Amino acid sequence: MASRHLARSIILQSLYEWDFFKEEKNLNEIIDRNIKAFAPATSLINEKEFVDKLSKGVLKNLKNIDKIIQTAAPERPFSQINFIDRNILRIGLYELLYQDKKEVPPKVAINEAIELAKNFSGETSPKFINGVLGTVYKQIEKETEK
């Protein structure tokens, strides 16, 4: 598994736990524990900065990201989006909206989110994730053209 994909998987699992326990646990402690449990000793050595940037970025922009999810997925009330899908969208939207496009191109961010959905969520989740992120991406493209 590529190291950045593994990093995203660990961040997803950590965000899931943090979200499940109603944000009462320390996310950094959860991430550190999950890295030790799920990542081979050398697999994330070069990606620690990426893990920190992504996890802190999601938390810093959480309220805005959650509003975007609500706007981009109006047919599903936010409270009815399962924990996994909600956190996949948070990661994908952070990368799509806030990450350096040279470091993580938009299509890579969307594809990675879809892969997380295939690996961790239900049968219909990849299509849902693709739909929400695709909607946001198209809106970004429209705004860029203006």
Side-chain angles (χ1 to χ4, degrees):
M1 182 181 289
S3 59
R4 286 214 168 172
H5 184 73
L6 176 60
R8 287 180 184 95
S9 297
I10 288 172
I11 292 168
L12 172 61
Q13 292 171 52
S14 301
L15 282 169
Y16 173 88
E17 180 179 339
W18 176 80
D19 195 13
F20 183 81
F21 287 105
K22 301 185 182 351
E23 305 171 10
E24 293 176 2
K25 291 188 172 188
N26 182 295
L27 181 59
N28 290 328
E29 290 174 8
I30 297 169
I31 290 171
D32 289 342
R33 185 186 71 237
N34 286 341
I35 287 173
K36 289 176 186 163
F38 300 117
T42 59
S43 63
L44 292 179
I45 287 176
N46 297 325
E47 300 300 341
K48 184 64 176 141
E49 184 179 328
F50 178 76
V51 169
D52 290 340
K53 186 177 181 180
L54 186 54
S55 61
K56 289 176 182 171
V58 168
L59 284 185
K60 178 182 176 188
N61 297 287
L62 189 66
K63 287 182 182 178
N64 189 46
I65 290 170
D66 286 353
K67 285 179 189 174
I68 293 168
I69 293 170
Q70 292 169 15
T71 302
E75 72 286 348
R76 283 202 198 175
F78 188 77
S79 62
Q80 292 181 6
I81 298 172
N82 71 53
F83 287 105
I84 289 290
D85 289 353
R86 180 168 54 217
N87 286 294
I88 291 170
L89 286 170
R90 286 171 171 167
I91 292 167
L93 285 169
Y94 173 77
E95 291 193 297
L96 198 58
L97 298 169
Y98 301 103
Q99 196 80 306
D100 179 2
K101 304 303 179 240
K102 291 178 184 169
E103 184 178 1
V104 180
K107 291 184 180 182
V108 170
I110 294 169
N111 187 56
E112 282 292 320
I114 293 167
E115 289 301 315
L116 288 172
K118 287 178 183 177
N119 291 329
F120 292 98
S121 198
E123 189 176 309
T124 61
S125 292
K127 186 176 180 179
F128 172 66
I129 298 296
N130 186 40
V132 172
L133 295 179
T135 298
V136 173
Y137 178 68
K138 287 175 188 172
Q139 186 64 37
I140 292 169
E141 289 292 297
K142 283 182 187 177
E143 291 174 9
T144 304
E145 290 175 0
K146 291 180 182 179

